[in-house]
Every structure is written in C-alpha cells, then in structure tokens.
Amino acid sequence: MNGHHQQNGVENMMLFEVVKMGKSAMQSVVDDWIESYKHDRDIALLDLINFFIQCSGCKGVVTAEMFRHMQNSEIIRKMTEEFDEDSGDYPLTMAGPQWKKFKSSFCEFIGVLVRQCQYSIIYDEYMMDTVISLLTGLSDSQVRAFRHTSTLAAMKLMTALVNVALNLSINMDNTQRQYEAERNKIIGKRANDRLELLLQKRKELQENQDEIENMMNAIFKGVFVHRYRDAIAEIRAICIEEIGIWMKMYSDAFLNDSYLKYVGWTMHDKQGEVRLKCLTALQGLYYNKELNSKLELFTSRFKDRIVSMTLDKEYDVAVQAIKLLTLVLQSSEEVLTAEDCENVYHLVYSAHRPVAVAAGEFLYKKLFSRRDAEDDGILKRRGRQSPNANLVKTLVFFFLESELHEHAAYLVDSMWDCATDLLKDWECMNSLLLEEPLNGEEPLTDRQESALIEIMLCTIRQAAECHPPVGRGTGKRVLTAKEKKTQLDDRTKITELFAVALPQLLAKYSVDAEKVTNLLQLPQYFDLEIYTTGRLEKHLDALLRQIRDIVEKHTDIDVLEACSKTYHALCNEEFTIFNRVDIARSQLIDELADKFNRLLEDFLQEGEEPDEDDAYQVLSTLKRITAFHNAHDLSRWDLFGCNYKLLKTGIENGDMPEQIVIHALQCTHYVILWQLAKVTESSSTKEDLLRLKKQMRVFCQICQHYLTNVNTAVKEQAFTILCDVLMIFSHQIMTGGRDMLEPLVYTPDSSLQSELLSFILDHVFIDQDDDNNSADGQQDDEASKIEALHKRRNLLAAFCKLIVYTVVEMNTAADIFKQYMKYYNDYGDIIKETMSKTRQIDKIQCAKTLILSLQQLFNEMIQENGYNFDRSSPTFSGIKELARRFALTFGLDQLKTREAIAMLHKDGIEFAFKEPNPQGESHPPLNLAFLDILSEFSSKLLRQDKRTVYVYLEKFMTFQMSLRREDVWLPLMSYRNSLLAGGDDDTMSVISGISSRGSTVRNKKTKPATGKRKVPEAEESSSSDSMWLNREQSMHTPVMMQTPQLTSTIMRESKRLRPDENYMGVYPMQPEHHQPPLDYNTQVTWMLAQRQQEEVARQQQERAAMNYVKLRSNLQHAIRRGTSLMEDDEEPIVEDVMMSSEGRIEDLNEGMDFDTMDIDLPPSKNRRERTELKPDFFDPASIMDESVLGVSMF
C-alpha cells in the first residue's frame, strides 16, 4: 500500500497523542482501531506495536518490512539501538502536567481494548499472540523504559483478561443451569433444539475459556514470574499490585497458595513501596470475609511477618500493616495471640500520628467494640449506668497497665477518630468519680481515679483545641465550618457540665495534689459567657472558694501554679464575671502579702535564731506569692523590698535555707520582668526607668554573689536567672524602635563573665557519676540521670545564648568549643549550633576562638605530660581529631571563609614559635608540635593563600630549621608540605617568593603587584595585626632559587582559571635583575628542592599507572561478566527493614501447595501452550534471602 509509512505514522501519533492527552474518548479511539484491524489486521497491529514502542519513550519506528520479516527479538534489538540514551526519562516517569495522567490513560486504553475485543478479536489467535509475544520480549529488555512500560502493559492486559475469564465463567454457569433446567423437564415439554443450542453455547464458552487460560499462562510465566523480582522497585510493585487484583477479582482461580506465595515472599522486599503494595493487596482480600477460609494457611504462615511489619522503618508500611491486622482481627479473633495484640497496642503511644491512629482503631476493635446483648436495652441510660461505663473503666485499666502514665494525651488522640462517642461521654466519667458505686460494683481505686481524671482532662483539651497534642502533627490547621461548630458545641457541653461539677470534684479531692492539679486545668477550656447566660454565678463562687482553700492547704508548686493559671483564665475583662473573680484574687493576694511581711519581720529579727517552723511559714507563703506572680502583675504590693532584704541577709549570714533563697530569687526576677513590661508598654517616666535600672543592677549583683554559694541548687537558680536577665537587658532590648530603653542596657564586666564561665565548666562539663548533688543522690535511677542531663543542657544553652547574642565576649566560647569531642553525645548539637551562629556574626573572631580552644587544650596537655610528649598519644590524637572536626565546620565555600582561615593559620604559627627552646636554635620551639594540629586546616586554604601563609611561616624559620630532618622537626615538615600540596609547576617559585609566570620570559620586566582592596570597617577594627594578610610586601627569601620550568606532560596540569593572584597583596613579582647572587647555601637548597620535585613526579607517574591498570581490569571484568539486567545486581533486595531486629523467616514451603504453576480456571484444563517462554536472565539471589530461596518456587 503506497504511503503506508506516512499513514501509519499519522495513525500512531494519533493513538499515542490521545493517550498522552488523557481525553475521555478512549472507547471511540479503540473502536476506530478495531475497524482498522478488521480492514487490515497487519497495519492495525503495526500501529499498536509502534504505540507500545512510543509509550516507552523510544523514537524508533517499526516498519511494515520489519514486522513481516523480523522476529520480535530482532525488532526489539533494533529499537534498543535507536533508543535515546541522553535522558533517562520516559513517559511513565516524566514530570509535568502533560504527563500527569499518562499512566492512568495508558492503563485505561489497554483495558478498553480488551473489553471491546473480548467477543471476537482476542480469539483469532493472531492479535493477542502478537501483543503478548511483543510485551514478553520487551519485558526482558535491558532498557529500563522498555521493561517498565511493557510490564505495566502486560499486567494490565492480564487484569483485563482475568475480567474476561470471570465473565466467561459466569456465562458458563448460567448456561449450565439453563441446560440442566431444560433437560429435567418432562419429555413432552422438553425443547431439543434449545438443548442443542445450549450445548453448543457451552462448548464455545469452554473453548474461549481455554483460549483465555493460555493467554494468561503466557503472560504470567513470560512476564510476572520474572518481573516480580526485577531490580526496579516500581516494576516489582506493579506485579504485586496486579496479582492482588486478580486474586480479589477471580478468587476461585487465583486465590490459592500458588499465587499467595508471591505476595508472602515479597513482604520481605527491601523497598518500602513494594512492601506497601503487598499489604494493600492483602487488605483487599481480608476485607471480604467470604474469602477467609482460603486465607487460613497463608495467615498461619505469614502472620508473624505481618505483625513484625507494624514496626517497619517506613511509617506508611507500618500503618498499612496495622490496618491489615485489624481486618484479620475482624475476620477471626482466634488468629491473633495476646502477644500479637500487645505488639500493636503499644503503638498507640507512637509519636507518628497515622501509626498511632491505626493502632488506636485496632485497640478499639479488640477491646471496646464488643457489646453484650443486654446493653441494647440500656442504651438510653446515662451516667454510671450507661453502656459506656464499663468501656471507660476498660480504658483506664489499659492506661494503667501500659505504664506510660505521662502519655494519656497520646492515648486519647490515638482513639479520637474511632471512639469519639466514648471519649466525649464526660457525664459518664463525672458520674464514675462522684457517684457511689452500684450494688455489687467495685469502686475505683485511688490510682484508677487519678488515671480517669487525667484521661478526662485530655479528652476535654482535645475537644476544645481540635488539634493533636504536642509532638504529634505539624501544628495547628485551619478548621472547617463543621469542625468549628462541633468545637463550639463541645465547649458549651463541657462548661454546662463542669461548671456545676468542678467545685464538687475539687471538694472531694482537695487534699490530693495530683488530682487537684489536673482538675484545676478544666476552666481554661470553659466558655465563660455561660456562667452569666446560664445563671451559674453561685457555682462560680463555689469554685473560687474551693481554689482559695486549695491555695491555703497546698505548698506544692504544681498545684499553686495551676491555681494561678485558673485565676488568670477566669480574670478575663471581656466577660462580666471579671469583677467577681478580680475581687477574690485581690483579697487572696492581700492576705498573702500581709502574712509574708509579718513573717519576714519576725524571721529577720537580729539576735534571734530562726526556728524551722518560722522558716517553713516563710517558705510556704513565698511559694504561693511566687506562683501567683508568674501569671499576675503584683507590682502594687511592692515585693522587691522584702525579697531584697531576705536575699541580702542570706548573703551576709550565709545560713539562709536554700529553698527560701531559690524562691526569693525567682520572685524578684518576676518583679523585674513585670516592671520592664510596664515601662515598655506604657508611657513611662524617667524615674520609672531609673528605678528599674537600679533594681536590676542590684539584683544582678545579688545573683553574682549567689553563684559562689555552697548549695548547688541555689547556684543553678542564680546562674539561670542571671543569664535570663543579661539576655533581656542586653543591647537587644532596644530593637523594634525601643530606643527609650537604652538606660536599661547592662553589659556584664569581665569578672562576671569569668564567673559565669567557671560555673559552666564546674557544673556542666562533668561526668555523669560526679553529678550527685543536682539530682538529690538518686543517680541510680535512670530517669533522674536523664533529668540531670536535661538540666545541664539547659544551663549550657543559656550561656551559649549569651555568646551568640554577643552579651559576653566571643573568646569565652573557647572553653566551650574545646569540649566538643569529649562531650559530643551530651552537648554536641548545642556546641555545633553555637559555632555556626558565632561564625555568622564574625568569621574572623570565630576562627580565632577555635584556634584558641585548640591552644588551650595543647597547653593543658603540656602541663600534664611535659614538652617531651608522645605525638601518637590519645591526648594529642584527640586534639588533632578536634581540629579536623573544626575544619569540617567551615564548609566547602573557601572564598567565604578565606580571611578567617588565613587568620587562624597566622595565630597558629605565632603560637607554635612563641616559646623558643632554652637549649638554643638547634632545638625546636617548645610549641612546634602545634603545627601538626594546624595542618588539619591547610586544606581549607586557597592555593594563593597557601603561598602567603608559607611566606609568613618562613619569617619564623631559620636556615637551620629548613634543613632539619629529625623526628622532632616532623610537625614543621608536615605543615610545610600541607601548604605546598596542590601546587602546580610554580611550586618552587612559591617557596622563593617569585612567581614562575613572571620568570618564564627572561627579558620581560615584571611590575610589583598592587594588590590593594577595600577592607570593611568591621574587619579594620577587629585586629591591628590582621593587616598582615592585606598589606603590600616585597618578599626576599634567599635560601632558595627559582625552579626551571618543567616540561613533563605527566606533571603539567591543565590551565585553570585562578582568582586574582594579587588579591592578598603580599606576593609582588620582582624584576629579573634584582635577583640576589646565588651562594653555596642557595645552591644546596635548590638541589634539595629539585630532588623533592623529582620524587613528587615519580609518585604521580606511579599513581597514574596504577589507575590505568585498575581501569583496564575493571573493564575486562565487566566484559567477562556481561551487562546485567538488574541494577545493583550484587546487593540483595531483601534486608532487615524493621525498627527492631527480626529473625529470618522459616521455611515458607512447609504445609503450602507450591507445586501448581499453570493458571487453571475451574473447571476446565489447559489445551495447549501458546508461547515459547523467554529464559529468565535474573538471579533470584539478588532479591531473596537464603531462607526464601530454599523454597521450591515452581
């Protein structure tokens, strides 16, 4: 046919473009293709073949000539040669809006094609044979695009054929019933013609079913059994997803152990997306309870694996594993043992919310969803007699048995979606707490009541705030209109119930600190307007009386702060109850302040020894005042004066009880902060500012005195408060246009900075076993150790914050930085972040601080071991390792840290040569070994900066030093070599101070470099000697002569763009005729340098030869091995993917029928094999572990 190729190309483009655009007219496109096939099936099939080729991203076209005369393998080889290898993308993996729906459209096309051809064309033994043969060949291709696209097409083709087979099976059953019904009629009424037609129809259906069986067998054996263990995870996932569909769609044929085994094996895949497909495939099967009998053997063999997957490192997999176990539980409760269930139960406390919610649903189905028959008759009962009463008790029992009593909020959040009605039955919870137990009912124990109150508080908080607890979720989200309405309704319900009940609950549990603390948090979630609209003022008065009584009874800090927060929540000026609550609060504070002043006078009377009872009264009153001062402005009671007297007396006498000092410091701190808030927000007078300034300065002096207190708790309190005050009253206080607060700025003097640093070194950088005081001697308890570490981390963070915000001098950080390696596990993150922040503030000063910390460690080592220490000792190696870690923190951008690194080398060189050896110049300087540490930073220097640093190093070296080769001089040699490393053919002229680029042309005069640049003001003021890097110098180093230009092609490097060599301004080129005359020493040194360069050239030649040999051996090995179809073929796909280690699976073959391989649609048998199968190029060991490979798969 003339013009076939052109016409074929147009048709093919149309077919591919329709699928690419994702248009809805897929059926009409398929119908057009069918008409084309009926007219000329070769042309139509050629269009379809090219469609699959093009969907794979191949630009090649199969011609009619190729189609007629070439085998599939030859066509695929030809297409592989024409494949565009420049890009690894192909339609299934391409991004962008035009490819967004390609996969779904591609799959839809295949499904529609089979559906429209299912009554005639697919049985012609030509179209399906050709397509299956092509897809089978492409699925074995080494090209990933071909393999991926053809596997997807083959699997979708198989799914469509399974659907056809299912329809055939249904039609056969209907025909058989009709035949049996007709045959069972009496002879007179029997229609023989109809019987013959039914027999003929059944025979045709049977033949069609046999045809479909063979097609499916060809796809399954030719594609699935090879590709389900493909190297590409996405291809494996496609296979598992589709086999799950087959088993669900046509369970009579596919839901047996011969096919389930593939899903079971693949649950051990090392890629999460494949394991995920296994679980979702199984969910579709377990969801249908009618299929449970066919899954019993599979469940018994793979249940342990599914349970272990609830701890999968991929959270999505863990969630689906829990959901699958929930379906297993619903199908049969006997399958899962108590141990299996407990493995899921504890996940309700997971920090990952989807995992916790799935576990909460499992827990609810197991323990809470069962309801007795008699419960149906008491559904309308409320309170203690409601059906939820026993469920609430069950929840309390579970919470107590889990022994995670600080995580009630997590438990409630986990069950919030599935057990909302139970968790919101606050009337039932309230009745269980207040009402007497019924006859024969066991009352709740004290622990159970505490747990119920905690759970009730968490449910109220969740309902009122509508977001998960801290640690779960990414923060608050915008609520929908429906959620807002539910929130308002819940708050109204909570307020109406507990406005009446809360005073009763407080009265019942008033002496129990834990219960009262939780109950007092409820008013935070009230709708306070209901007190007025519901006429509940008398209940408000009762609540205020109960809170007052609790304040008088308790001295526990948590209880008192809960009372303070409750007053704060109720004292809202927007509501009419404000005056009533404000009066009650003022009366309470008045009494506390008067009592405190009265007790303080007696307590501080001179000449009298205060007894324990007086101290207890002062302390308990001070605790109450401090707790209220935290949330309420008590400025009008003038608490600064009395606290100042108390603290000053403690300094003078030294016998003040530690708890009184701690709370007096805290209370005074609150006084200062409330005063600052007052002068900041309103138009304050100058007198207010001066008074606050005076009080703040006096308070800082008091805190500084208490830093030397004998009691650790007092020192920690003074340190924490002092850091906070210094931070608040630093220069940062003027930001945001608050210049009027400038008089309040307070900068600590050097003595205070020194004391703060000493405190950190004495109380933070200590061994865990030495920290006995701060945890009250309970270091045997693991929890107290963690608490002590947390406290020390807070202390260190408070001081580092002062460094970061330049409140204290940056060089004080040297004592912190030097602890980086020793205390890396405890404080590494804090120290590293401090380094990062200080570098952002001042790169040069930060570098100086880092080198200072290394110098301090070096000096400490010298003091301990003397100058003749072993450079291989752990101490020195530790300092070198710390220097290496410091160097890594500078990052890869050398231009940004150029001056800082150069300054670091300058300070290091000066320190190394600072102490000359008393025995004379023939012996190394005492600190010369420090150069070994300094060499760790050489790699961070730019090439021209290495030259500059080398020149600076030479200023400290004598001629004798340059010739020394003894071991004691090794640090100098290694440091020099580190500065010379990376140089090109002008290395020797770097040493001599003369650029070879300027000396290669002998008759040209070179001009001195004028490397001037503008120095930022901040750098100018940083250090006077920092100009060493920038000023112009004329360096004459007469110990070496210039090197003849090298001509070796091995040594010469390709020319590269270099930064301005004059940037540093210290490397001018000298005119040729100004060279000093060469003496004997110069010639000797030149010869040594030549010998050194020859050695370097020889080493580079050897390395190049070795690399060439390795390259050839690798190529030969690759050629011998052949190209593998699997990427990363040697790495097993199966690995331990659990959060906790799991043992290998047992012999999976035990008790399972793995002998069947052919697809055998019941009740027919296979008639013939249709396609010769391709050999499997894949190594099973590449994805399955030994225990799986021990199973006979076929």
Side-chain angles (χ1 to χ4, degrees):
M1 179 178 180
N2 294 334
H4 163 71
H5 296 303
Q6 183 179 0
Q7 181 183 354
N8 176 60
V10 172
E11 291 291 334
N12 182 44
M13 281 300 294
M14 287 177 61
L15 197 58
F16 177 73
E17 288 298 324
V18 169
V19 173
K20 177 181 173 183
M21 292 185 292
K23 297 297 184 182
S24 59
M26 197 67 70
Q27 184 166 337
S28 62
V29 174
V30 171
D31 290 341
D32 291 342
W33 182 87
I34 292 174
E35 288 299 321
S36 171
Y37 182 84
K38 290 177 179 178
H39 182 264
D40 188 333
R41 64 183 191 177
D42 286 341
I43 293 179
L45 269 180
L46 188 57
D47 291 341
L48 194 58
I49 290 171
N50 278 312
F51 166 74
F52 286 122
I53 296 294
Q54 196 166 4
C55 286
S56 301
C58 180
K59 304 300 183 184
V61 176
V62 180
T63 64
E65 188 71 20
M66 294 166 60
F67 180 61
R68 281 194 295 267
H69 298 99
M70 295 174 68
Q71 296 293 327
N72 276 339
S73 58
E74 296 173 330
I75 293 175
I76 294 170
R77 190 180 304 114
K78 181 71 173 175
M79 293 299 101
T80 302
E81 293 172 359
E82 297 184 17
F83 205 95
D84 181 15
E85 297 181 357
D86 294 340
S87 172
D89 289 335
Y90 48 96
L92 287 180
T93 61
M94 284 182 181
Q98 60 177 338
W99 302 107
K100 190 175 182 180
K101 297 182 179 180
F102 177 80
K103 181 178 179 180
S104 59
S105 299
F106 179 69
C107 297
E108 182 189 357
F109 172 80
I110 295 171
V112 173
L113 179 65
V114 174
R115 188 177 71 233
Q116 295 300 101
C117 298
Q118 65 178 317
Y119 299 111
S120 58
I121 295 179
I122 61 172
Y123 304 112
D124 68 358
E125 298 188 5
Y126 185 68
M127 189 270 276
M128 290 301 293
D129 282 13
T130 305
V131 171
I132 292 173
S133 177
L134 173 72
L135 295 179
T136 302
L138 287 173
S139 69
D140 275 341
S141 171
Q142 299 175 11
V143 178
R144 172 176 175 167
F146 280 150
R147 213 164 67 245
H148 186 182
T149 308
S150 61
T151 301
L152 176 62
M155 293 298 99
K156 289 299 178 181
L157 185 63
M158 177 81 165
T159 302
L161 290 174
V162 169
N163 190 45
V164 172
L166 180 60
N167 292 333
L168 286 173
S169 177
I170 294 171
N171 289 334
M172 284 185 63
D173 291 341
N174 292 336
T175 304
Q176 184 67 28
R177 280 197 301 270
Q178 292 172 5
Y179 175 80
E180 294 293 338
E182 190 66 30
R183 194 179 64 175
N184 290 334
K185 291 180 181 179
I186 59 177
I187 297 177
K189 294 184 178 180
R190 184 186 302 170
N192 292 328
D193 294 342
R194 179 171 172 77
L195 284 175
E196 290 181 7
L197 286 174
L198 289 173
L199 279 173
Q200 182 65 28
K201 183 179 179 181
R202 189 179 67 174
K203 182 180 178 182
E204 290 177 2
L205 291 173
Q206 182 64 53
E207 290 178 354
N208 290 344
Q209 190 176 47
D210 291 344
E211 290 280 340
I212 297 297
E213 279 185 36
N214 289 319
M215 295 176 198
M216 291 192 297
N217 267 311
I219 296 174
F220 189 82
K221 292 182 178 181
V223 180
F224 179 88
V225 295
H226 305 303
R227 299 288 71 77
Y228 91 96
R229 59 183 190 267
D230 194 278
I232 307 302
E234 193 171 354
I235 296 177
R236 302 198 299 272
I238 289 170
C239 295
I240 296 303
E241 182 179 16
E242 295 304 314
I243 198 174
I245 295 174
W246 309 337
M247 290 187 288
K248 181 181 178 182
M249 183 188 298
Y250 197 179
S251 58
D252 290 340
F254 289 95
L255 189 54
N256 56 60
D257 299 330
S258 297
Y259 301 103
L260 282 169
K261 66 182 179 182
Y262 296 108
V263 181
W265 290 341
T266 315
M267 282 195 294
H268 294 83
D269 196 283
K270 76 174 184 179
Q271 293 298 323
E273 63 176 303
V274 184
R275 301 195 299 275
L276 191 64
K277 292 297 182 184
C278 294
L279 295 171
T280 52
L282 291 173
Q283 286 175 16
L285 302 177
Y286 280 99
Y287 184 79
N288 187 351
K289 293 184 178 181
E290 297 177 358
L291 304 178
N292 290 342
S293 60
K294 297 183 178 182
L295 291 165
E296 289 179 355
L297 183 57
F298 176 85
T299 305
S300 64
R301 299 303 304 132
F302 290 98
K303 179 200 66 175
D304 292 342
R305 173 58 184 163
I306 298 172
V307 172
S308 69
M309 291 174 78
T310 60
L311 296 175
D312 198 280
K313 63 182 181 181
E314 301 285 345
Y315 285 125
D316 291 342
V317 177
V319 170
Q320 297 306 323
I322 298 169
K323 289 183 177 181
L324 178 58
L325 288 176
T326 305
L327 292 173
V328 173
L329 179 69
Q330 289 176 305
S331 63
S332 176
E333 293 191 4
E334 293 77 20
V335 173
L336 298 179
T337 64
E339 184 180 357
D340 295 333
C341 295
E342 288 172 4
N343 287 332
V344 182
Y345 289 162
H346 74 275
L347 294 175
V348 296
Y349 297 104
S350 170
H352 189 260
R353 191 169 191 271
V355 171
V357 170
E361 185 176 356
F362 179 90
L363 174 66
Y364 183 75
K365 299 285 186 186
K366 178 68 176 176
L367 300 181
F368 299 95
S369 61
R370 287 175 292 182
R371 179 173 287 160
D372 297 331
E374 61 268 16
D375 287 347
D376 296 333
I378 58 173
L379 284 176
K380 296 183 179 180
R381 295 184 184 180
R382 303 171 68 182
R384 198 178 192 101
Q385 298 182 359
S386 71
N388 282 338
N390 288 330
L391 299 181
V392 171
K393 290 181 182 178
T394 303
L395 182 61
V396 171
F397 299 154
F398 173 81
F399 177 54
L400 291 176
E401 288 177 7
S402 64
E403 297 181 352
L404 290 169
H405 302 159
E406 298 179 359
H407 298 80
Y410 275 24
L411 173 61
V412 168
D413 181 56
S414 300
M415 300 181 64
W416 191 254
D417 295 338
C418 61
T420 308
D421 293 339
L422 170 64
L423 297 176
K424 287 186 179 181
D425 195 348
W426 298 300
E427 186 176 353
C428 174
M429 299 179 190
N430 185 56
S431 299
L432 288 172
L433 291 170
L434 288 178
E435 295 178 7
E436 293 298 322
L438 303 174
N439 292 332
E441 183 185 2
E442 291 188 10
L444 295 175
T445 64
D446 182 66
R447 285 184 71 234
Q448 291 168 355
E449 287 180 336
S450 297
L452 177 55
I453 290 173
E454 187 175 357
I455 291 172
M456 183 175 70
L457 170 63
C458 293
T459 60
I460 291 171
R461 186 207 63 80
Q462 184 101 351
E465 295 183 351
C466 289
H467 64 79
V470 176
R472 274 197 188 161
T474 56
K476 296 182 180 180
R477 60 183 180 84
V478 179
L479 301 180
T480 63
K482 183 179 180 181
E483 289 172 334
K484 287 181 180 179
K485 184 179 184 303
T486 304
Q487 181 186 33
L488 294 174
D489 293 343
D490 287 340
R491 289 190 67 185
T492 301
K493 182 180 176 183
I494 291 167
T495 308
E496 290 175 347
L497 175 63
F498 287 101
V500 178
L502 183 56
Q504 302 173 37
L505 291 168
L506 291 174
K508 181 177 180 179
Y509 301 111
S510 60
V511 295
D512 191 316
E514 181 185 359
K515 295 185 179 70
V516 165
T517 302
N518 285 326
L519 289 171
L520 283 170
Q521 296 181 48
L522 298 185
Q524 300 176 33
Y525 309 109
F526 284 1
D527 181 1
L528 299 180
E529 191 66 34
I530 293 178
Y531 271 115
T532 305
T533 59
R535 298 184 178 180
L536 302 175
E537 287 88 350
K538 65 177 182 178
H539 298 290
L540 175 62
D541 293 336
L543 175 62
L544 294 174
R545 285 195 300 272
Q546 290 298 328
I547 296 175
R548 183 189 181 94
D549 291 342
I550 290 169
V551 171
E552 293 174 353
K553 288 179 182 178
H554 289 270
T555 58
D556 185 85
I557 293 296
D558 292 335
V559 175
L560 294 174
E561 288 188 350
C563 293
S564 175
K565 290 178 181 177
T566 303
Y567 272 114
H568 185 266
L570 296 173
C571 283
N572 193 328
E573 297 182 4
E574 297 179 5
F575 301 101
T576 53
I577 64 171
F578 169 74
N579 291 332
R580 190 187 297 261
V581 180
D582 186 43
I583 291 171
R585 177 183 61 177
S586 299
Q587 289 176 350
L588 177 61
I589 302 299
D590 277 336
E591 292 182 9
L592 290 174
D594 291 342
K595 182 180 179 181
F596 182 60
N597 288 324
R598 188 172 62 254
L599 291 170
L600 198 59
E601 281 187 26
D602 299 337
F603 186 69
L604 298 179
Q605 280 184 356
E606 296 182 8
E608 293 188 12
E609 192 76 24
D611 57 16
E612 291 185 4
D613 186 57
D614 292 340
Y616 175 78
Q617 290 293 331
V618 171
L619 176 60
S620 58
T621 307
L622 183 57
K623 276 185 175 181
R624 296 182 179 106
I625 291 175
T626 303
F628 273 86
H629 210 347
N630 187 9
H632 305 270
D633 184 7
L634 309 184
S635 300
R636 58 194 176 102
W637 281 275
D638 191 20
L639 296 170
F640 182 84
C642 50
N643 279 293
Y644 174 71
K645 290 180 189 177
L646 194 60
L647 293 169
K648 190 175 181 182
T649 304
I651 294 173
E652 293 171 352
N653 299 337
D655 58 353
M656 188 69 67
E658 64 170 89
Q659 287 299 316
I660 292 180
V661 174
I662 289 172
H663 286 90
L665 287 171
Q666 190 66 58
C667 187
T668 312
H669 186 210
Y670 291 148
V671 172
I672 298 292
L673 295 182
W674 278 109
Q675 292 277 9
L676 177 61
K678 210 169 184 180
V679 300
T680 303
E681 293 173 1
S682 61
S683 55
S684 57
T685 62
K686 189 174 183 181
E687 289 74 15
D688 294 333
L689 285 174
L690 293 176
R691 183 169 62 253
L692 176 57
K693 177 182 177 181
K694 182 179 179 181
Q695 290 179 351
M696 181 265 296
R697 297 290 177 95
V698 170
F699 182 55
C700 287
Q701 292 174 2
I702 290 175
C703 289
Q704 186 174 355
H705 279 293
Y706 277 108
L707 279 177
T708 57
N709 193 276
V710 293
N711 189 277
T712 303
V714 172
K715 286 191 284 189
E716 288 177 351
Q717 179 79 332
F719 176 84
T720 304
I721 292 176
L722 197 51
C723 287
D724 285 346
V725 171
L726 291 176
M727 188 69 230
I728 293 168
F729 288 93
S730 68
H731 54 86
Q732 304 281 340
I733 199 173
M734 296 189 298
T735 57
R738 294 179 294 186
D739 296 334
M740 71 282 190
L741 299 179
E742 185 178 0
L744 298 178
V745 174
Y746 177 56
T747 303
D749 56 22
S750 58
S751 64
L752 178 54
Q753 294 185 34
S754 177
E755 287 190 47
L756 291 172
L757 180 59
S758 299
F759 176 87
I760 286 293
L761 297 178
D762 294 339
H763 294 84
V764 173
F765 295 109
I766 56 175
D767 293 332
Q768 184 84 315
D769 296 334
D770 296 338
D771 186 24
N772 296 322
N773 297 326
S774 61
D776 299 327
Q778 298 178 355
Q779 288 301 310
D780 295 335
D781 183 7
E782 193 65 28
S784 61
K785 287 184 178 180
I786 295 173
E787 184 64 29
L789 175 60
H790 182 65
K791 185 187 295 183
R792 294 197 300 272
R793 283 175 58 85
N794 285 338
L795 294 173
L796 178 60
F799 184 74
C800 288
K801 195 184 296 183
L802 298 180
I803 297 172
V804 168
Y805 285 93
T806 64
V807 178
V808 299
E809 296 293 335
M810 192 181 293
N811 56 15
T812 58
D815 289 280
I816 308 294
F817 293 164
K818 70 182 183 184
Q819 312 288 351
Y820 182 59
M821 289 291 294
K822 185 176 181 181
Y823 295 95
Y824 181 81
N825 291 334
D826 292 342
Y827 317 116
D829 55 337
I830 299 175
I831 298 175
K832 189 173 182 180
E833 183 66 16
T834 306
M835 285 185 205
S836 174
K837 295 295 184 183
T838 51
R839 185 173 290 120
Q840 293 174 19
I841 296 168
D842 190 335
K843 293 185 181 69
I844 293 179
Q845 190 59 40
C846 176
K848 283 176 166 288
T849 305
L850 290 176
I851 201 67
L852 177 61
S853 65
L854 294 172
Q855 292 168 5
Q856 290 178 356
L857 286 173
F858 186 83
N859 287 331
E860 291 171 8
M861 181 188 66
I862 295 297
Q863 292 175 4
E864 185 177 343
N865 302 321
Y867 287 103
N868 296 322
F869 63 89
D870 182 7
R871 288 194 298 116
S872 63
S873 65
T875 306
F876 187 77
S877 300
I879 302 175
K880 280 200 70 175
E881 176 61 19
L882 179 61
R884 188 185 71 82
R885 293 288 187 96
F886 284 171
L888 291 176
T889 63
F890 282 94
L892 300 176
D893 192 342
Q894 292 177 308
L895 285 176
K896 283 186 178 180
T897 59
R898 185 178 190 183
E899 294 183 0
I901 290 291
M903 189 59 61
L904 183 146
H905 279 274
K906 173 183 177 294
D907 287 0
I909 292 170
E910 291 174 353
F911 176 77
F913 290 93
K914 182 179 179 181
E915 299 288 341
N917 199 309
Q919 300 180 29
E921 291 188 0
S922 61
H923 293 80
L926 299 179
N927 295 339
L928 188 70
F930 189 77
L931 292 178
D932 211 359
I933 298 169
L934 192 60
S935 62
E936 297 291 340
F937 297 92
S938 297
S939 62
K940 296 298 178 181
L941 285 166
L942 290 174
R943 175 181 296 180
Q944 59 268 39
D945 294 351
K946 287 184 179 181
R947 302 169 182 170
T948 305
V949 172
Y950 187 90
V951 170
Y952 190 74
L953 175 67
E954 281 191 325
K955 294 173 66 176
F956 294 87
M957 292 169 51
T958 62
F959 175 71
Q960 288 79 7
M961 290 182 185
S962 63
L963 299 178
R964 291 288 183 179
R965 293 294 182 268
E966 294 88 348
D967 287 348
V968 292
W969 294 93
L970 281 177
L972 177 60
M973 290 188 287
S974 64
Y975 183 56
R976 289 174 66 193
N977 290 336
S978 70
L979 296 177
L980 297 176
D984 51 13
D985 56 357
D986 60 352
T987 302
M988 294 310 297
S989 59
V990 172
I991 299 171
S992 63
I994 300 172
S995 172
S996 64
R997 294 177 183 265
S999 60
T1000 51
V1001 183
R1002 298 217 170 246
N1003 296 325
K1004 287 189 178 181
K1005 294 183 179 181
T1006 57
K1007 298 179 181 180
T1010 57
K1012 297 180 180 179
R1013 65 185 184 92
K1014 293 184 179 180
V1015 181
E1017 294 179 6
E1019 295 178 10
E1020 289 180 2
S1021 60
S1022 62
S1023 170
S1024 59
D1025 59 344
S1026 66
M1027 297 302 292
W1028 76 282
L1029 198 60
N1030 306 316
R1031 66 174 181 262
E1032 293 186 76
Q1033 300 181 32
S1034 180
M1035 292 295 177
H1036 297 278
T1037 311
V1039 295
M1040 307 244 178
M1041 69 175 287
Q1042 70 182 65
T1043 307
Q1045 187 161 354
L1046 301 177
T1047 58
S1048 170
T1049 57
I1050 297 176
M1051 289 292 294
R1052 181 172 297 170
E1053 296 180 357
S1054 59
K1055 292 184 179 180
R1056 63 189 71 172
L1057 293 175
R1058 309 199 310 179
D1060 182 8
E1061 294 183 6
N1062 296 330
Y1063 178 85
M1064 307 305 285
V1066 295
Y1067 209 73
M1069 302 179 185
Q1070 299 299 323
E1072 196 71 25
H1073 57 274
H1074 286 164
Q1075 289 293 328
L1078 299 179
D1079 58 8
Y1080 173 76
N1081 290 335
T1082 306
Q1083 295 180 13
V1084 169
T1085 309
W1086 179 83
M1087 291 173 64
L1088 289 172
Q1090 283 291 95
R1091 192 173 302 166
Q1092 181 181 5
Q1093 271 202 330
E1094 289 172 1
E1095 179 67 14
V1096 171
R1098 185 183 61 80
Q1099 291 176 358
Q1100 290 192 3
Q1101 286 178 324
E1102 290 177 356
R1103 281 198 297 269
M1106 287 294 295
N1107 289 337
Y1108 176 72
V1109 171
K1110 288 181 180 178
L1111 180 61
R1112 285 200 59 181
S1113 64
N1114 289 340
L1115 286 173
Q1116 291 171 356
H1117 178 66
I1119 292 170
R1120 285 196 303 269
R1121 188 177 61 181
T1123 307
S1124 173
L1125 292 178
M1126 295 185 70
E1127 291 141 21
D1128 297 328
D1129 180 57
E1130 290 82 359
E1131 181 183 0
I1133 291 178
V1134 176
E1135 66 172 3
D1136 184 10
V1137 294
M1138 311 312 296
M1139 298 174 189
S1140 59
S1141 60
E1142 300 290 337
R1144 293 288 186 182
I1145 57 174
E1146 301 172 0
D1147 181 11
L1148 304 179
N1149 199 20
E1150 181 183 344
M1152 295 191 74
D1153 178 18
F1154 288 166
D1155 297 332
T1156 306
M1157 197 57 208
D1158 290 345
I1159 298 175
D1160 191 5
L1161 300 182
S1164 65
K1165 296 182 179 179
N1166 292 337
R1167 190 153 47 95
R1168 66 183 181 277
E1169 290 295 332
R1170 180 173 295 276
T1171 309
E1172 182 179 352
L1173 299 181
K1174 296 281 185 180
D1176 181 18
F1177 294 106
F1178 286 81
D1179 179 12
S1182 62
I1183 60 171
M1184 295 296 169
D1185 61 13
E1186 294 176 359
S1187 61
V1188 178
L1189 290 174
V1191 180
S1192 175
M1193 294 179 62
F1194 308 119

